[in-house]
């Protein structure tokens, strides 16, 4: 058994992801594939367009054998913290041979070189960085220049690619953890990670979400005169996602399960901002006056996106503003992130979906790793590892809490789905018990 | 100048309120009338059906000269705390000769007698109360029996009337403050405070709200085929409220300014409950396991009212459950209520609306009282009294914070109303400055 790992949000799963999986399988000759994904809230700041179980199933239907959810404290933050949570999840399994990520550059060596320099392994990065900052460069520029100083021949757009940046973070994390996993990169197909338009077979998740969130859905759309308009609009993404996923999305929408976006949480965000106005600076990344400008802006901006547009600046990216707003909504505080950021080992990994091969991976994990493999949160909360380890409790409670906030919105037209209790306590167990309980 | 005071929520203003005002003017021969009302959240637990400025204007149009908003920490709690805030507001003016409240009993002497006994002024209330509790009576029964023990001839339904209970609380508060204001009671007309049906000229606010909240409004109702259905439904209250108010309500609804109810805040309440799941017991009245049952119930109950129905019991009234849920939403904590409850003097009173006679009352207040009269919150926040008095700051910040949370919902179809900032900072000032700034 040769196990490969993939880190991806599948928000939603599209042809680029499928291509990535196929390329990786060929390059690594792995026999089993585990993917680490975000849960219900994602790295760019905001809710996933469809929930984590649906996205996990999409991955399973397209070549992944086991889907794990990384702890939400990592999944919802900067590239550096996201990478940390993702790589720590794979590392915790202690049986992943290689793992794969996309990059614009597409060659591992240059990316590794940049990571090593920025970790101080070769060159004198810290000194150069400090000098650049003293000279007044913004941090991102200072960092790039300091790394460049010790690299030979680096393409001019190397540090422009957001996937290159993320790739370097993964590689830095491998160094930090002294990991033996082999990193493999696959060149991103034409569409940039953040490109806004759908075209051809490969489109970015951003472009696909833009179509899905722009559908202006009304109740009972499939039985009204709006039906044709809806089908015409959604057909724009038909060639960008696997067929099964395309029809699943239409089916969900026809049942009034709508794709979520940031706007769906705007009212709750406003309430949380006002209600906690005196302590906003305690939330992660909400600093340096952002607490005041957020307080002032949310109460009068027409929409969530207007808040972001108004507050973004040279100093603060849109993602940063979005993450700040969701850190307030979800209650992500400095003191918790300080602990999460400095961990070197995760106490648990969470299973979202698996097939028979995934079951073989789980068996292997139990042989070679001490990590808690959580399939049933209800059972996990009864274990000593949970009750006696405050870090486990902190991470896991936040996973469940943030997920629950998501499902309250996701099922707002279908509260009968919540009648039996919170989704995390029921979803996977129910599905697994139909086969054979894995605990 | 003889100044009379009234305590009422006007939620919404109806014929019973109008009758109450006329009766009081006759009984007290007062020349000027000041009313103390709740702000945007009310005593029964939940939002006011229309906002505080609209309700204040309704009062002004129907015989009141000056409308003051009592601090929200008092307005949103039990009868005892509500009375405390209301009477302290009138007392702070230091020029109110008499004040008036409705009661089922309609005669002041018996009510005064009950208040005096329960304050230990005559009889041995504390001893009897303790004995009754030791014998296992629920608190409300033990209290009633202890008071009865020292009263002669008291009607059997005396303690059943919710207005009698509130009246006794007002009278207790007069004793606590050693107030010189003369209490006057007016017998409530036929409709009980909480009776659920609209009938004849006098209906309860509860019955009127039931009609308004049951309209099942859709956008643009006056231009659709739903118009006649809407007008037929709302006409049920036509004879129960003054004509001007009836047409104002129709006008608001036709502009998609809908009457609010608890359900409108259910999503925000769910978010706040989940997000603060570890500290729910810090919110006022959320104790003795209620924190757990609330956490469990809100996430799966279909509606707000289902949560209340599920959690109410012999021990906990519906109002108590509603107030707990709104204490969590608004962030009302024990430590703040401890301070508010034990005050004997309010640092400020807040003006919501006034006419020329109201202006005369304000002039008088400034002559005879040290209390800060706040017409412009923006200006008040710049004064030393606000910045140097933590109690002032605590009370006033909560007034503004809770009000702002309300307006985010109230104007959810009209966010352009919030473009210039929060309503409390603009509404009254704008209106007053058209005449002559009173500060």
């Amino acid at each position: 058994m040769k196990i490969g790992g993939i880190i991806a949000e599948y928000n939603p799963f599209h042809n680029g992801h499928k291509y990535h999986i196929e390329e990786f399988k060929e390059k690594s000759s792995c026999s089993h594939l585990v993917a680490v994904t975000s849960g219900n809230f994602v790295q760019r700041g905001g809710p996933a367009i469809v929930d984590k179980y649906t996205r996990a199933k999409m991955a399973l239907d397209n070549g992944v054998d086991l889907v794990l959810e990384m702890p939400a404290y990592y999944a919802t933050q900067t590239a550096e913290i996201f990478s940390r949570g993702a790589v720590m999840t794979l590392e915790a399994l202690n049986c992943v041979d290689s793992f794969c990520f996309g990059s614009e550059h597409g060659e591992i060596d240059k990316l590794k070189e940049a990571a090593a320099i920025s970790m101080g392994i070769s060159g004198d990065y810290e000194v150069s960085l400090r000098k650049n900052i003293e000279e007044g460069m913004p941090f991102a520029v200072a960092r790039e220049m300091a790394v460049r100083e010790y690299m030979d021949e680096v393409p001019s757009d190397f540090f422009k690619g957001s996937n290159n940046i993320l790739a370097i973070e993964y590689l830095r994390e491998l160094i930090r953890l002294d990991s033996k996993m082999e990193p493999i990169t696959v060149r991103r197909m034409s569409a940039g990670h953040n490109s806004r338009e759908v075209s051809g077979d490969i489109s970015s998740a951003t472009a696909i979400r833009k179509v899905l969130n722009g559908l202006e859905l009304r109740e009972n759309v499939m039985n009204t005169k709006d039906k044709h308009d809806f089908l015409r609009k959604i057909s724009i993404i038909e060639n960008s996602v696997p067929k099964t996923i395309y029809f699943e999305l239409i089916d969900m929408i026809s049942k009034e399960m709508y794709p979520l976006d940031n706007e769906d949480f705007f009212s709750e965000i406003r309430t949380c901002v006002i209600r906690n106005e005196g302590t906003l600076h305690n939330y992660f990344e909400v600093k340096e006056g952002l607490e005041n400008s957020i307080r002032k802006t949310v109460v009068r901006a027409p929409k969530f996106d207007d808040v972001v547009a108004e507050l973004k600046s040279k100093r603060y990216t849109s993602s940063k503003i979005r993450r700040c707003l969701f850190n307030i909504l979800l209650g992500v505080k400095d003191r918790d992130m300080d602990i999460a950021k400095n961990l070197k080992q995760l106490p648990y990994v969470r299973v979202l979906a698996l097939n028979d091969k995934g079951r073989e991976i789980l068996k292997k994990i139990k042989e070679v790793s001490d990590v808690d493999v959580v399939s049933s949160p209800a059972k996990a909360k009864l274990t000593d590892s949970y009750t006696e380890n405050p870090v486990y409790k902190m991470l896991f409670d936040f996973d469940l809490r943030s997920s629950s906030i998501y499902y309250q919105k996701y099922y707002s037209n279908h509260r009968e789905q919540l009648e039996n209790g919170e989704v995390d306590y029921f979803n996977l167990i129910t599905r697994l018990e139909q086969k054979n309980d894995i605990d």
Side-chain angles (χ1 to χ4, degrees), chain A residues 36 68-71 84-93 346 349:
Chain A
V36 180
L68 303 178
E69 174 188 351
M70 79 173 96
R84 199 155 280 193
V87 176
M88 277 200 291
T89 301
L90 288 176
E91 182 69 12
L93 311 184
L346 290 178
V349 295

Side-chain angles (χ1 to χ4, degrees), chain A residues 262-272 329 409:
Chain A
N262 299 326
E263 303 294 345
D264 291 307
F265 288 91
F266 189 35
S267 176
E268 287 76 8
I269 287 171
R270 296 194 308 259
T271 300
C272 291
L329 175 76
K409 190 60 73 176

